[in-house]
Amino acid sequence: MLASKLAGILLQVYLTVLPPVLGQLSADELAPLLSGLAERPRDADLEARVPLMTDDPTVAPLVDLQVFAPPVVPEGGSHCAVELSKHSFGVGSYGAPAVVPYIPPAADGCGEIGKWAAISLNLSSYSIGTQYDRLSAIYLSNTEIWRHSSAEPTRTGTIWNTVKDVTHFTPLFAQKGDLMMDFSNIIAPELLLDGVFDVVLTATFYAATASVPTPQTADLIVPLSNLSPTLPNFFTIDNDLGAVTNISLPEDSIEAFVEIFCSGNSAEEFWYLNTPDDFVPYFPASTGVIGKGPFREVQVLVDGKLAGVVWPYPVIYTGGITPSNWRPLASYGAYDAPTYWIDITPFLPTLLDGNASHSVTLRVLGQGKEPTINSNWFVSGSIHVRRGSSRTTGRMTRYEVPDLQSRTLGAATAGNETVWTQVDVSRELSIESELVTSEGTRTVTFTQSLRYTNEARYADEGWVQWVNQSTIGTTSSTHGGVTKLRDAFEYPLAVFSNYSLYTAEFGSYGSDIHQTHTRALQPPLGATYRSIHSVQHAQGQIGMDNWPGLRHAINGTGTTDQLFAYVDERGETYFRDIMAKNDGWVRDKVWGTLRDRNPPVPRNQIFGPEGGPGFRRMIAWDTGS
Ligand SMILES: *[C@@H]1O[C@H](CO)[C@@H](O)[C@H](O)[C@H]1NC(C)=O
Ligand SMILES: *[C@@H]1O[C@H](CO)[C@@H](O)[C@H](O)[C@H]1NC(C)=O
Ligand SMILES: *[C@@H]1O[C@H](CO)[C@@H](O)[C@H](O)[C@H]1NC(C)=O
Ligand SMILES: *[C@@H]1O[C@H](CO)[C@@H](O)[C@H](O)[C@H]1NC(C)=O
Ligand SMILES: *[C@@H]1O[C@H](CO)[C@@H](O)[C@H](O)[C@H]1NC(C)=O
Ligand SMILES: *[C@@H]1O[C@H](CO)[C@@H](O)[C@H](O)[C@H]1NC(C)=O
Ligand SMILES: *[C@@H]1O[C@H](CO)[C@@H](O)[C@H](O)[C@H]1NC(C)=O
């Protein structure tokens, strides 16, 4: 085919133009992840079968999950669990978060306030009925601490639990505040949406021990959010101006790191599948191809000057592309979206220049004509500040932030039968300052090196699409020669989707998705070095009814498997080999030192090689006729 021939030629050009990203995961870093996976235990999987069907009300709820590495917490020390929030998100919950007061735990066993070894949150959700995937976010004192999306529930009930390390938010947990949970849900009987989300959020505080002492965390956390007492606190961004927070840091600040939460929503949910504007006219409008290209950059600006960028990992939610792919095994990040760090310490000379207020802007740039993005992105963050004992001074000695390098190519075969596009982007960024602080005089550096390529092929007027995307980068910072932050990542994604029969009566659609998340992260505060390697493959198909206007899924199949490996600096490991098929679990094997902190799904949920019966809905019941 012409397109693939051209692709071969242009790929060579691209590779000669772009140098490799330095500081990527080394062979030594990858080895323990891969060898750990190879050392899977050999005991046989139990293959019990229980009659769990979507429309069968007689069985226990389905356990859904997103694989995660459990937080590393001290063994043997004291700890206490505190229920922070309990709420049912049903009628009227859209844009109406549950807000409850937060008080630091004072009970015996909780450990000294603010001196904990670790804090973990356990988010436990239950839903029965029919519902889309809904986005939720948890904030403490107007600072986002968790971005989560729901499972799509079943009519027999679905539960999902996720545990997350939030130790780096210790300064917020050490003070009174408001805990806000947003889980904007819509109950609409006319749309058959009746799934309410029942949520319990628990925090566990671990006292410091000899082997796990109090880690270094910020002294002060400054939210980058809209600060509303009643509305979801993330910024809703649909233009190129982004969202500004005015801040004022204490003059003795010696380090400042920004943590970012970001997710595309609505016409930006599948931003990586969006089409470059120049090629949108190659498709009939009825195909619903979305423009503004597949590349997105989330930017942090200090007083209007670019300070760092995030090239986000594409989290696929449980209703994403083909919903039957993600039940019961969700895509990585669905229940706990990855966050990203940017070191703005080199900007301290500016931020501490004596002016009362400075601005930090969070914005998202895409590839369209202004605005460069569609509507919309949800973005928020926080600045984690460490303080010294005297005024910090200094000057920026290097600011090398050349423009983003990008280009878009494309071609079509005769009659636009097949269309091909390719987007290549790279960015280099290097910022350095000399700081005079109460801890001494030092050079602080922040560098980023990032590469992106997205190749899309289309057939059948755009109803069939193949996308192969690669996002590779290294973000790092040093303070006085010591590495403070390192984030070396690689996020390959291949999506094949076929919507050829989408508009047919009793039509169908399906997809085949390969997604990998490989990331070595040394966060600047609160935790040690860890590396993660997740490889997921999902394929599935949905059959639809013939309702005018609304398209309901009436049946479906889905098979998803995943290999997951986690290794950290303390020698803790977590490995998982898991597979789900047709609404049921096929296998789940977990090993490594952290196994018991996030064990396999209960054995009576394992269906065996054929998986579950698949998603099936009685049409008569659905239409209410
Ligand atoms: C999280 O909470 C759920 C529901 O209360 C519980 O079943 C589960 O064991 C908890 N997980 C951890 C790791 O505490
Ligand atoms: C930030 O400060 C600028 C300049 O003083 C002001 O115009 C703007 O309204 C402030 N923005 C917010 C969100 O407070
Ligand atoms: C305050 O900001 C203004 C404009 O951004 C700058 O010209 C001035 O030097 C700053 N003031 C101090 C005390 O540094
Ligand atoms: C293919 O699409 C381009 C862009 O809209 C258009 O100019 C051209 O006429 C189309 N070719 C055919 C054969 O439809
Ligand atoms: C796209 O990804 C798939 C699955 O990883 C792979 O088999 C295929 O060769 C890739 N295609 C291109 C053009 O890179
Ligand atoms: C897309 O799906 C249709 C209907 O099942 C099928 O006929 C067609 O071959 C598929 N296209 C591709 C490229 O797989
Ligand atoms: C889904 O239902 C349609 C319409 O009844 C039927 O043609 C199709 O074979 C079904 N597919 C599956 C996977 O059961």
Side-chain angles (χ1 to χ4, degrees):
M1 201 195 301
L2 176 65
S4 52
K5 210 162 119 194
L6 274 174
I9 296 163
L10 288 159
L11 202 63
Q12 279 175 12
V13 175
Y14 171 73
L15 288 175
T16 57
V17 168
L18 290 175
V21 176
L22 299 177
Q24 274 289 294
L25 269 82
S26 66
D28 282 352
E29 279 177 294
L30 267 175
L33 294 161
L34 300 179
S35 65
L37 279 173
E39 284 160 15
R40 66 204 303 279
R42 283 201 287 177
D43 55 304
D45 283 315
L46 197 82
E47 289 178 359
R49 179 172 276 267
V50 293
L52 187 70
M53 276 173 67
T54 304
D55 284 325
D56 182 343
T58 62
V59 294
L62 182 65
V63 174
D64 276 27
L65 65 86
Q66 177 224 297
V67 173
F68 63 91
V72 176
V73 296
E75 300 277 355
S78 68
H79 62 272
C80 73
V82 180
E83 188 179 290
L84 297 183
S85 184
K86 185 174 185 176
H87 195 77
S88 291
F89 294 87
V91 175
S93 63
Y94 195 89
V99 183
V100 293
Y102 167 79
I103 298 166
D108 280 354
C110 297
E112 187 185 339
I113 290 175
K115 300 286 177 202
W116 302 292
I119 313 168
S120 69
L121 296 183
N122 180 351
L123 181 64
S124 167
S125 309
Y126 174 76
S127 185
I128 181 164
T130 301
Q131 194 50 263
Y132 286 113
D133 50 347
R134 300 286 183 192
L135 194 70
S136 86
I138 301 171
Y139 309 88
L140 182 55
S141 302
N142 302 114
T143 304
E144 186 163 2
I145 58 174
W146 194 334
R147 179 80 54 99
H148 161 261
S149 180
S150 68
E152 291 209 338
T154 61
R155 302 212 66 81
T156 60
T158 296
I159 56 171
W160 65 103
N161 279 334
T162 311
V163 181
K164 180 182 171 72
D165 182 0
V166 289
T167 311
H168 65 286
F169 290 112
T170 289
L172 300 178
F173 282 96
Q175 294 168 11
K176 286 185 187 171
D178 277 332
L179 187 107
M180 173 188 279
M181 175 145 190
D182 171 36
F183 210 144
S184 291
N185 193 13
I186 296 174
I187 303 295
E190 70 282 11
L191 303 176
L192 307 175
L193 298 177
D194 57 358
V196 169
F197 297 117
D198 298 321
V199 176
V200 181
L201 179 68
T202 308
T204 306
F205 296 86
Y206 295 86
T209 64
S211 55
V212 188
T214 309
Q216 186 171 70
T217 57
D219 296 307
L220 171 74
I221 294 179
V222 179
L224 301 174
S225 77
N226 65 29
L227 306 178
S228 168
T230 52
L231 300 173
N233 276 184
F234 49 46
F235 294 116
T236 299
I237 296 179
D238 59 7
N239 62 33
D240 291 354
L241 299 175
V244 177
T245 308
N246 290 332
I247 60 154
S248 172
L249 299 186
E251 63 174 24
D252 58 3
S253 301
I254 54 179
E255 294 184 322
F257 304 97
V258 176
E259 185 181 27
I260 305 286
F261 290 79
C262 53
S263 45
N265 178 58
S266 196
E268 293 285 285
E269 178 174 346
F270 306 107
W271 79 88
Y272 43 88
L273 305 181
N274 290 0
T275 305
D277 282 347
D278 286 349
F279 293 89
V280 170
Y282 286 70
F283 306 101
S286 56
T287 312
V289 162
I290 299 175
K292 300 196 186 276
F295 173 75
R296 294 294 177 273
E297 178 174 85
V298 180
Q299 300 186 331
V300 178
L301 299 97
V302 175
D303 290 335
K305 211 167 169 179
L306 189 64
V309 301
V310 173
W311 289 10
Y313 172 74
V315 174
I316 303 175
Y317 301 112
T318 59
I321 306 172
T322 306
S324 53
N325 284 351
W326 313 119
R327 199 166 83 188
L329 179 57
S331 135
Y332 184 71
Y335 301 161
D336 179 9
T339 66
Y340 311 90
W341 289 98
I342 286 167
D343 188 350
I344 60 166
T345 307
F347 284 84
L348 284 181
T350 317
L351 289 167
L352 306 178
D353 70 0
N355 278 332
S357 174
H358 292 274
S359 70
V360 174
T361 305
L362 301 177
R363 71 175 183 189
V364 187
L365 294 187
Q367 298 184 284
K369 292 198 178 61
E370 211 169 330
T372 58
I373 56 170
N374 302 289
S375 185
N376 50 28
W377 277 74
F378 296 137
V379 184
S380 86
S382 49
I383 312 178
H384 295 240
V385 180
R386 270 190 66 235
R387 301 178 64 174
S389 55
S390 64
R391 187 176 141 89
T392 296
T393 58
R395 65 189 179 95
M396 193 173 277
T397 49
R398 182 164 68 221
Y399 183 78
E400 284 170 14
V401 184
D403 288 346
L404 195 76
Q405 298 296 303
S406 93
R407 73 171 172 190
T408 300
L409 307 165
T413 53
N416 296 337
E417 254 173 45
T418 65
V419 177
W420 161 80
T421 63
Q422 183 169 328
V423 173
D424 302 319
V425 188
S426 75
R427 155 124 23 227
E428 300 292 329
L429 180 155
S430 176
I431 305 173
E432 184 181 287
S433 286
E434 295 293 337
L435 294 189
V436 181
T437 76
S438 59
E439 289 184 355
T441 298
R442 58 194 176 205
T443 304
V444 295
T445 66
F446 178 67
T447 58
Q448 294 191 285
S449 177
L450 307 149
R451 305 281 179 273
Y452 170 93
T453 185
N454 179 297
E455 185 187 2
R457 285 187 291 137
Y458 301 82
D460 191 17
E461 303 186 327
W463 293 105
V464 176
Q465 187 188 25
W466 293 260
V467 168
N468 268 34
Q469 174 172 290
S470 149
T471 312
I472 300 177
T474 305
T475 293
S476 55
S477 81
T478 62
H479 293 187
V482 177
T483 298
K484 282 286 163 169
L485 163 65
R486 174 166 171 253
D487 185 353
F489 62 87
E490 191 167 350
Y491 309 142
L493 172 66
V495 177
F496 162 68
S497 61
N498 185 344
Y499 283 70
S500 281
L501 297 183
Y502 189 72
T503 54
E505 268 211 341
F506 293 100
S508 66
Y509 61 94
S511 65
D512 188 307
I513 299 168
H514 289 265
Q515 189 169 30
T516 296
H517 179 101
T518 304
R519 190 177 186 192
L521 177 66
Q522 180 182 328
L525 297 164
T528 55
Y529 169 91
R530 73 268 326 280
S531 54
I532 284 177
H533 181 58
S534 163
V535 182
Q536 227 168 338
H537 175 218
Q539 56 182 337
Q541 182 118 14
I542 295 273
M544 290 181 302
D545 65 11
N546 61 344
W547 261 29
L550 285 172
R551 305 309 307 278
H552 286 97
I554 53 171
N555 58 28
T557 57
T559 305
T560 303
D561 59 50
Q562 183 176 15
L563 281 174
F564 181 90
Y566 166 95
V567 171
D568 71 20
E569 192 173 311
R570 299 186 211 182
E572 304 287 359
T573 59
Y574 186 81
F575 301 100
R576 198 157 184 164
D577 176 357
I578 188 166
M579 180 172 176
K581 186 172 177 183
N582 299 341
D583 261 5
W585 291 105
V586 171
R587 66 166 188 266
D588 186 12
K589 202 175 267 287
V590 181
W591 66 105
T593 62
L594 298 172
R595 178 195 187 279
D596 294 340
R597 294 198 176 270
N598 185 17
V601 293
R603 287 183 158 208
N604 66 0
Q605 292 259 337
I606 305 282
F607 279 72
E610 291 314 308
F615 166 56
R616 236 169 249 131
R617 184 182 280 168
M618 286 166 283
I619 302 169
W621 174 85
D622 245 2
T623 58
S625 58

